[in-house]
Amino acid sequence: MNVYIITYPTPKGIKKLVDIKDSDVVIAVDQAVDHVIEQNLRFDLALGDFDSIKDKNVLKDLNVKRLNVVKDVTDTHQAVLEALELNAETIYLVGGFGGERIEHFVGHLTLFNVADHLIMI
């Protein structure tokens, strides 16, 4: 089983980038939840503090893990930790390049130290 972590900035056309199987787990991180829903992608968990999500009502009927706004790791880092707990064969980080906050991208690069079987797409 693979875990796909979809984070912001979220690429358009995710279905063309990756082949997500029914047995794979998909985690949508914070603001990426909006983009995953817009792209009509299945996901198993919405994870984050959701400080950046447009309409928090979309979370109502989802499997959600809410994080405290004050924390020691980013929402995406926590998603990688969740994937490790699931014993993922491979962890795919989809998105996370660019955006307004370069420190998030730099933080994403450090995730290779957390999971040696991480692939960024």
Side-chain angles (χ1 to χ4, degrees):
M1 173 255 316
N2 298 315
V3 175
Y4 289 84
I5 298 170
I6 304 174
T7 193
Y8 183 83
T10 311
K12 292 178 173 55
I14 292 173
K15 290 179 182 178
K16 294 178 183 176
L17 292 174
V18 294
D19 182 26
I20 300 171
K21 309 269 190 278
D22 288 339
S23 60
D24 295 330
V25 173
V26 180
I27 301 173
V29 179
D30 201 288
Q31 188 174 0
V33 169
D34 288 332
H35 300 279
V36 170
I37 291 171
E38 287 171 6
Q39 293 187 43
N40 198 31
L41 288 169
R42 163 191 79 75
F43 62 102
D44 302 288
L45 176 64
L47 181 143
D49 56 25
F50 304 109
D51 61 342
S52 303
I53 201 164
K54 293 176 191 171
D55 179 9
K56 292 181 180 36
N57 288 325
V58 300
L59 301 171
K60 187 173 68 170
D61 296 322
L62 301 175
N63 181 21
V64 175
K65 181 168 186 174
R66 288 188 185 271
L67 303 176
N68 194 321
V69 176
V70 179
K71 55 192 171 296
D72 293 330
V73 297
T74 66
D75 295 348
T76 303
H77 187 139
Q78 184 62 45
V80 170
L81 297 176
E82 297 286 326
L84 290 171
E85 285 186 28
L86 293 171
N87 295 316
E89 186 175 318
T90 304
I91 302 170
Y92 294 95
L93 181 60
V94 181
F97 298 96
E100 303 82 37
R101 298 182 61 187
I102 191 69
E103 68 271 18
H104 280 184
F105 171 65
V106 172
H108 295 157
L109 292 177
T110 67
L111 295 174
F112 288 104
N113 294 323
V114 177
D116 59 2
H117 53 302
L118 174 74
I119 297 172
M120 292 180 81
I121 299 173

